[in-house]
């Protein structure tokens, strides 16, 4: 059943009316983008997009990403009009209010039909690349009958101008993600005014040069839009369709100008737009015939979904796909048993190496893990035997060579995790976490299980010097809510961190790993059969003499803390050593556990080769040993000594405080 073409105009106007009325009611928001792209979106949803409002999470649906997230009313209107349970018209009436799921920008955790959180320009596009990548990977793994869908993106000038766009376009072009189709709202307007103020780029030329198919259309001519979208769908390359539009189309006195980007039209212009569009319905009312058209369109998807469900039920791979898409880990605890056997060893390895060892155990057992690195595979130790390269020739591969594209990698991993069926992990140097920081933040905000492998974690990397030596990075990652930051101290804690990260369904993790070797500190005796890192911090060594000091340390400094404790004990001063691989997990423990590890009336001392700001929350007015300056270029041992990370430099400071 196809929609009568004469109905498309009124259907698009329903988007325009809801958008301008919602923004007007909220007295804040962005009417220009949804009004300008209403016609393109109507063609997309009526003739191209595979979706079923009754099953927003149906795994073989097309993914629709509104990368230009400021135009959130576009996706809210589309979801409501096509018959999704959320958002309701009440939610839309309360656009941008606390009790509405229609937040200022679309949030994946508020509305099931919103595939990802967008608003930070460029990242929706880059997440869509990850979704398209996950689709091809799962297609290659499960076949056309179970996985066969497209990723559609609406992106604005801003999404194309952001630097991350270059990374995303390069990755998608190289991997020939032909199921990715981007509809560019080519309205030649951004907030400051005409795009010519700031850009003169041949955008189609750039995409074409990156291996993309490019097309153009009049974004207000339904037939022309459909023609261009058909071409995009047919072409084996990723596609960019430049949809020439008028921002705020339908607001007769304001359309085409930058003021319509992010301000309510105002009562007079809303009235003028109603007259111009011939829209007589009251605010938030959609005439029954127009709503019926939208709903009939929404109802069409049920058939495709039912057919897919039959295929999935008949397939011997259906249950495995369902498991992966649900985010459940494979049954069995083989990995835990292998790691437990390591307790009997004494492996002195860098934690990046320990991470590789853990991955060699986990990746064969957890087939949904898809690894990668931003061109530091040999340094991040992210590649395993079970993860052959994911390439155009073989999308079933499990290792992505992301290239030197940290931000693009992180955003793609968000898209992969949100697509589902994949647990992405990817590496770079910790110091370059800042390059992808906003995507790490979006992993956390979106509850996406993305695992960041961040190696070369301190001055311990040595000779590369201060450009490469993280100082503030571990602490600054700890500041991001819902991100588990692990800084393991040895091979055992590293394996524990991996187990916890893979199991954290709604929380991303950052594994902070050393370049330099660290001794094994954990054995069967001090592990007590537990995954001790699960509590975030634990007493690695209890004071022998009467306890006067508690030493708190992470990662490579736990070894040092053990030596400091030994020196203190030698002078009759009892000292606990608390290893603290994950602050976030420790903070989640109860007060009794906190009080037990951090007892009152005892000097508490933190040791971490990074900024000290933040440690006060655990040590109070105790002592913070750290590095509140940039490092230097020299061998690691020289640097640790030079910057005060030695028993000889630390013990006197503790004695002075005890005196
Ligand atoms: C990374 C980032 N930088 C800045 C902004 C603020 N911002 C929101 S929309 C916008 C302009 C976007 O222009 P365009 O994509 O052309 O949207 P249009 O005005 O056409 O709707 C800016 C600068 C943002 N949301 N994200
Ligand atoms: Mg624009």
């Amino acid at each position: 059943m196809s929609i009568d073409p004469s109905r498309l105009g009124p259907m698009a106007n329903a988007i325009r009316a809801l958008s301008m009325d919602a923004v007007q009611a909220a007295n804040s928001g962005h009417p220009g983008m949804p009004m300008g792209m209403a016609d393109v979106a109507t063609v997309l949803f009526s003739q191209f997009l595979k979706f079923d409002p009754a099953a927003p999470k149906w795994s073989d649906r097309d993914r629709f990403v509104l990368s230009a997230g400021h135009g959130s009313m576009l996706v809210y209107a589309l979801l409501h009009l096509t018959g999704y349970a959320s958002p309701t018209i009440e939610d839309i009436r309360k656009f941008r209010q606390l009790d509405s799921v229609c937040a200022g920008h679309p949030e994946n955790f508020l509305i099931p039909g919103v595939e990802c959180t967008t608003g930070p320009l460029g990242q929706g596009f880059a997440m869509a690349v990850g979704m398209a990548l996950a689709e091809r990977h799962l297609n290659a793994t499960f076949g056309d009958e179970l996985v066969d869908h497209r990723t559609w993106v609406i992106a604005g000038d801003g999404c194309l101008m952001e630097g991350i766009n270059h990374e995303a376009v390069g990755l998608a072009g190289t991997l020939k993600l032909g199921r990715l189709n981007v509809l560019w709202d080519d309205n030649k307007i951004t907030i400051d005014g005409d795009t010519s103020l700031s850009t003169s780029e041949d955008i189609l030329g750039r995409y074409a040069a990156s291996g993309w198919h490019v097309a153009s259309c009049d974004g207000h001519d339904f037939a022309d839009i459909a023609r261009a979208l058909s071409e995009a769908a047919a072409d084996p390359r990723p596609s960019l369709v430049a949809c020439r539009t008028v921002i705020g189309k339908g607001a007769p006195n304001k359309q085409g100008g930058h003021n319509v980007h992010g301000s309510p039209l105002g009562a007079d212009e809303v009235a003028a737009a109603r007259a111009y569009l011939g829209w007589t319905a009251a605010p938030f009312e959609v005439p029954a015939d127009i709503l019926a058209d939208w709903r009939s369109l929404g109802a069409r998807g049920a058939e495709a979904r039912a057919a897919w469900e039959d295929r999935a039920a008949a397939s011997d791979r259906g249950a495995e796909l369902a498991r992966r898409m649900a985010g459940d880990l494979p049954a069995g605890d083989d990995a835990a048993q292998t790691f437990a056997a390591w307790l009997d060893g004494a492996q002195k390895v860098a934690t990046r190496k320990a991470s590789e060892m853990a991955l060699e155990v986990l990746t064969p057992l957890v087939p949904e893990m898809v690894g990668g690195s931003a061109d530091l595979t040999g340094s991040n130790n992210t590649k395993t035997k079970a993860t052959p390269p994911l390439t155009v020739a073989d999308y079933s591969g499990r290792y992505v060579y992301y290239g030197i594209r940290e931000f693009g990698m992180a955003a793609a991993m968000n898209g992969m995790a949100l697509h589902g069926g994949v647990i992405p992990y990817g590496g770079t140097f910790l110091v370059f976490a800042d390059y992808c920081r906003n995507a790490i933040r979006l992993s956390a905000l979106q509850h996406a299980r993305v695992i960041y492998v961040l190696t070369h974690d301190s001055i311990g990397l040595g000779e590369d010097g201060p450009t490469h030596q993280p100082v503030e990075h571990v602490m600054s990652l700890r500041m991001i809510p819902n991100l588990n930051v692990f800084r393991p101290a040895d091979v055992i804690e590293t394996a524990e961190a991996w187990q916890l990260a893979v199991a954290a369904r709604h929380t991303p993790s950052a594994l902070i790993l050393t370049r330099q070797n660290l001794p094994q500190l954990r054995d069967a005796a001090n592990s007590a059969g537990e995954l001790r890192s699960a509590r975030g911090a634990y007493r690695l060594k209890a004071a022998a003499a009467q306890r006067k000091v508690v030493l708190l340390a992470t990662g490579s400094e736990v070894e040092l803390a053990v030596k400091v404790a030994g020196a203190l004990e030698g002078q009759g001063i009892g000292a606990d050593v608390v290893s603290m691989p994950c602050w976030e997990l420790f903070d989640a423990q109860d007060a009794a556990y906190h009080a037990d590890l951090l007892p009152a009336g005892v000097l508490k001392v933190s040791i971490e080769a990074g900024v000290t700001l933040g440690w006060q929350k655990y040590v109070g007015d105790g002592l913070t040993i750290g590095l509140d300056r940039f490092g230097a270029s020299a061998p690691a041992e020289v640097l640790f000594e030079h910057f005060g990370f030695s028993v000889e430099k630390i013990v006197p400071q503790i004695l002075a405080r005890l005196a």
Side-chain angles (χ1 to χ4, degrees), residues 10 13 16 21 43 80 90 128 137 244 310 318 322 344 370 424 491 505 508 537 606 631 656:
N13 286 341
R16 293 191 168 94
D21 287 339
V43 172
H80 174 68
E90 279 312 304
H137 172 69
R244 189 72 185 88
D310 289 346
D344 299 328
V370 173
V491 63
R505 291 169 79 122
S606 66

Short mmCIF file of all heavy atoms in Angstrom, two decimals, residues 10 13 16 21 43 80 90 128 137 244 310 318 322 344 370 424 491 505 508 537 606 631 656:
data_model
loop_
_atom_site.label_atom_id
_atom_site.label_comp_id
_atom_site.label_asym_id
_atom_site.label_seq_id
_atom_site.Cartn_x
_atom_site.Cartn_y
_atom_site.Cartn_z
N PRO A 10 0.05 17.60 3.25
CA PRO A 10 -0.59 17.75 4.57
C PRO A 10 0.13 16.95 5.66
O PRO A 10 0.22 17.39 6.81
CB PRO A 10 -2.00 17.21 4.33
CG PRO A 10 -2.24 17.35 2.86
CD PRO A 10 -0.90 17.21 2.19
N ASN A 13 3.01 18.89 6.71
CA ASN A 13 2.58 20.07 7.47
C ASN A 13 2.21 19.72 8.91
O ASN A 13 2.31 20.56 9.81
CB ASN A 13 1.43 20.77 6.76
CG ASN A 13 1.91 21.53 5.53
OD1 ASN A 13 3.11 21.82 5.41
ND2 ASN A 13 1.00 21.85 4.62
N ARG A 16 5.30 20.14 10.70
CA ARG A 16 5.58 21.58 10.87
C ARG A 16 4.73 22.16 12.00
O ARG A 16 5.24 22.89 12.86
CB ARG A 16 5.29 22.33 9.57
CG ARG A 16 6.22 21.98 8.44
CD ARG A 16 6.06 22.93 7.25
NE ARG A 16 7.16 22.72 6.32
CZ ARG A 16 7.09 21.89 5.24
NH1 ARG A 16 5.97 21.25 4.97
NH2 ARG A 16 8.15 21.74 4.48
N ASP A 21 4.30 24.57 17.18
CA ASP A 21 3.45 24.74 18.36
C ASP A 21 4.18 24.31 19.64
O ASP A 21 4.04 24.94 20.69
CB ASP A 21 2.16 23.94 18.20
CG ASP A 21 1.21 24.59 17.18
OD1 ASP A 21 1.36 25.81 16.92
OD2 ASP A 21 0.33 23.88 16.66
N VAL A 43 8.96 11.80 3.13
CA VAL A 43 9.29 10.84 2.07
C VAL A 43 10.05 9.65 2.65
O VAL A 43 9.76 8.48 2.36
CB VAL A 43 10.11 11.51 0.95
CG1 VAL A 43 10.63 10.48 -0.05
CG2 VAL A 43 9.27 12.57 0.25
N HIS A 80 5.46 10.10 17.11
CA HIS A 80 4.07 10.22 17.55
C HIS A 80 3.10 9.98 16.39
O HIS A 80 2.15 9.20 16.49
CB HIS A 80 3.82 11.59 18.17
CG HIS A 80 2.38 11.79 18.51
ND1 HIS A 80 1.75 11.08 19.52
CD2 HIS A 80 1.42 12.56 17.93
CE1 HIS A 80 0.47 11.42 19.55
NE2 HIS A 80 0.25 12.32 18.60
N GLU A 90 0.65 14.35 24.84
CA GLU A 90 0.87 15.08 26.10
C GLU A 90 2.36 15.38 26.30
O GLU A 90 2.74 16.46 26.76
CB GLU A 90 0.34 14.26 27.30
CG GLU A 90 -1.13 14.37 27.51
CD GLU A 90 -1.62 15.82 27.48
OE1 GLU A 90 -1.10 16.64 28.27
OE2 GLU A 90 -2.48 16.14 26.65
N ALA A 128 26.09 6.78 13.65
CA ALA A 128 25.40 6.05 12.57
C ALA A 128 26.39 5.19 11.78
O ALA A 128 26.05 4.10 11.33
CB ALA A 128 24.67 7.03 11.66
N HIS A 137 28.44 -6.28 10.08
CA HIS A 137 29.12 -7.35 10.82
C HIS A 137 28.12 -8.46 11.18
O HIS A 137 28.39 -9.65 10.97
CB HIS A 137 29.75 -6.77 12.08
CG HIS A 137 30.29 -7.81 13.02
ND1 HIS A 137 31.40 -8.57 12.71
CD2 HIS A 137 29.86 -8.23 14.23
CE1 HIS A 137 31.63 -9.42 13.71
NE2 HIS A 137 30.72 -9.23 14.63
N ARG A 244 18.35 20.24 -0.75
CA ARG A 244 18.30 21.71 -0.71
C ARG A 244 16.98 22.12 -0.08
O ARG A 244 15.90 21.83 -0.61
CB ARG A 244 18.45 22.22 -2.15
CG ARG A 244 18.65 23.71 -2.25
CD ARG A 244 20.04 24.13 -1.79
NE ARG A 244 20.13 25.59 -1.80
CZ ARG A 244 19.77 26.36 -0.77
NH1 ARG A 244 19.38 25.82 0.38
NH2 ARG A 244 19.84 27.67 -0.86
N ASP A 310 9.13 -14.78 11.93
CA ASP A 310 8.99 -16.17 11.47
C ASP A 310 10.35 -16.72 11.04
O ASP A 310 10.70 -17.86 11.38
CB ASP A 310 8.01 -16.23 10.29
CG ASP A 310 6.57 -15.99 10.74
OD1 ASP A 310 6.33 -16.05 11.96
OD2 ASP A 310 5.71 -15.73 9.87
N GLY A 318 18.65 -18.03 15.23
CA GLY A 318 17.76 -17.00 15.79
C GLY A 318 17.99 -16.75 17.28
O GLY A 318 18.04 -15.61 17.73
N ALA A 322 19.26 -13.35 19.12
CA ALA A 322 18.42 -12.75 20.16
C ALA A 322 19.23 -12.53 21.44
O ALA A 322 19.11 -11.50 22.10
CB ALA A 322 17.21 -13.62 20.43
N ASP A 344 47.76 -18.53 40.91
CA ASP A 344 48.88 -19.36 41.36
C ASP A 344 50.21 -18.94 40.74
O ASP A 344 51.26 -19.46 41.11
CB ASP A 344 48.61 -20.84 41.03
CG ASP A 344 47.36 -21.33 41.73
OD1 ASP A 344 47.08 -20.83 42.83
OD2 ASP A 344 46.64 -22.19 41.16
N VAL A 370 33.88 -6.94 19.70
CA VAL A 370 34.52 -6.48 18.46
C VAL A 370 35.55 -5.43 18.87
O VAL A 370 35.19 -4.38 19.42
CB VAL A 370 33.50 -5.90 17.47
CG1 VAL A 370 34.21 -5.27 16.27
CG2 VAL A 370 32.53 -6.98 17.01
N PRO A 424 31.61 -3.37 21.75
CA PRO A 424 32.83 -2.81 21.16
C PRO A 424 33.87 -2.44 22.22
O PRO A 424 33.52 -1.96 23.30
CB PRO A 424 32.32 -1.56 20.44
CG PRO A 424 31.12 -1.14 21.21
CD PRO A 424 30.53 -2.39 21.83
N VAL A 491 48.19 -8.20 36.95
CA VAL A 491 47.52 -9.06 35.97
C VAL A 491 46.14 -9.51 36.45
O VAL A 491 45.19 -9.60 35.66
CB VAL A 491 48.45 -10.26 35.63
CG1 VAL A 491 48.71 -11.13 36.84
CG2 VAL A 491 47.90 -11.08 34.48
N ARG A 505 26.27 -3.90 31.64
CA ARG A 505 25.40 -3.72 30.47
C ARG A 505 25.09 -2.27 30.16
O ARG A 505 24.91 -1.92 29.00
CB ARG A 505 24.06 -4.41 30.72
CG ARG A 505 24.15 -5.88 30.74
CD ARG A 505 22.83 -6.41 31.24
NE ARG A 505 21.84 -6.41 30.19
CZ ARG A 505 21.21 -7.51 29.80
NH1 ARG A 505 21.49 -8.66 30.35
NH2 ARG A 505 20.29 -7.46 28.88
N PRO A 508 29.62 2.28 30.41
CA PRO A 508 30.90 2.15 29.73
C PRO A 508 32.04 2.06 30.74
O PRO A 508 31.89 2.46 31.90
CB PRO A 508 31.01 3.44 28.92
CG PRO A 508 30.18 4.44 29.67
CD PRO A 508 29.08 3.66 30.34
N ALA A 537 37.45 -1.09 45.64
CA ALA A 537 38.66 -0.97 46.45
C ALA A 537 38.61 -2.08 47.48
O ALA A 537 37.53 -2.53 47.85
CB ALA A 537 38.72 0.39 47.14
N SER A 606 47.17 8.95 49.88
CA SER A 606 46.93 8.45 48.52
C SER A 606 48.22 8.53 47.73
O SER A 606 49.01 9.46 47.90
CB SER A 606 45.84 9.26 47.83
OG SER A 606 46.26 10.60 47.63
N GLY A 631 54.92 16.03 33.15
CA GLY A 631 56.07 15.16 33.35
C GLY A 631 57.28 15.64 32.58
O GLY A 631 57.46 16.84 32.35
N ALA A 656 56.51 12.58 59.16
CA ALA A 656 56.32 13.97 59.60
C ALA A 656 54.87 14.20 60.01
O ALA A 656 54.59 14.90 60.98
CB ALA A 656 56.73 14.93 58.48
#
